[in-house]
Amino acid sequence: MTNTAIPVLVGQLTTGRTEAVSWALWPAEVYSTGCLLRIRLAPEGERPEYQESKSLFATIQLLEGHERELITVESGHGKVQLSSGRLPTRGGEPPTSEPWEYVWTLEYWWPQERWDDKLTLAWPTYDLHLDLPVDIGELRTARDSNSG
């Protein structure tokens, strides 16, 4: 009997770099109903100084006036839901003059009925449009093996 609470891992740690952002995609955690995707983003070069939490939260939640800051993952069936995220922090207790640690670690839940051959991450602030290397055939095989 298969324990459906324990995922099957598909893929390998994949990393890359565009002109503006370094990124990493962890192996997908595949469950019987979908998969969890974990992505890390680290902008390079000049980065914004977040004076207020609203502009930082706009990277993971659509906020009026901050639309270009929103990081999204989309398949052919629409947006993939963000399930959790770790946003950049400062190196000390607020308020602090310590520099920001510019790393986003985001997890997305992708239900199996919305799986598609194309999965794209977009971050307009950095003109980032990245086709994520996810093999749907491998996800389906892992899901079937995890269904019991």
Side-chain angles (χ1 to χ4, degrees), residues 8-69:
V8 175
L9 297 179
V10 170
Q12 59 187 13
L13 178 65
T14 306
T15 61
R17 183 177 185 175
T18 67
E19 189 173 308
V21 180
S22 292
W23 60 272
L25 174 66
W26 271 257
E29 295 180 19
V30 181
Y31 300 87
S32 59
T33 58
C35 68
L36 187 67
L37 303 169
R38 182 174 298 119
I39 302 162
R40 180 168 287 174
L41 302 170
E44 304 288 336
E46 190 174 323
R47 298 168 294 211
E49 179 70 25
Y50 294 105
Q51 300 296 328
E52 59 178 345
S53 59
K54 182 178 181 180
S55 59
L56 181 58
F57 291 136
T59 61
I60 60 168
Q61 179 180 341
L62 184 58
L63 298 174
E64 189 175 329
H66 297 271
E67 292 82 1
R68 286 192 45 80
E69 297 170 43

Side-chain angles (χ1 to χ4, degrees), residues 94-111:
T96 182
S97 61
E98 292 293 317
W100 284 96
E101 295 173 3
Y102 284 92
V103 176
W104 282 253
T105 302
L106 306 171
E107 293 182 347
Y108 292 86
W109 175 251
W110 195 17

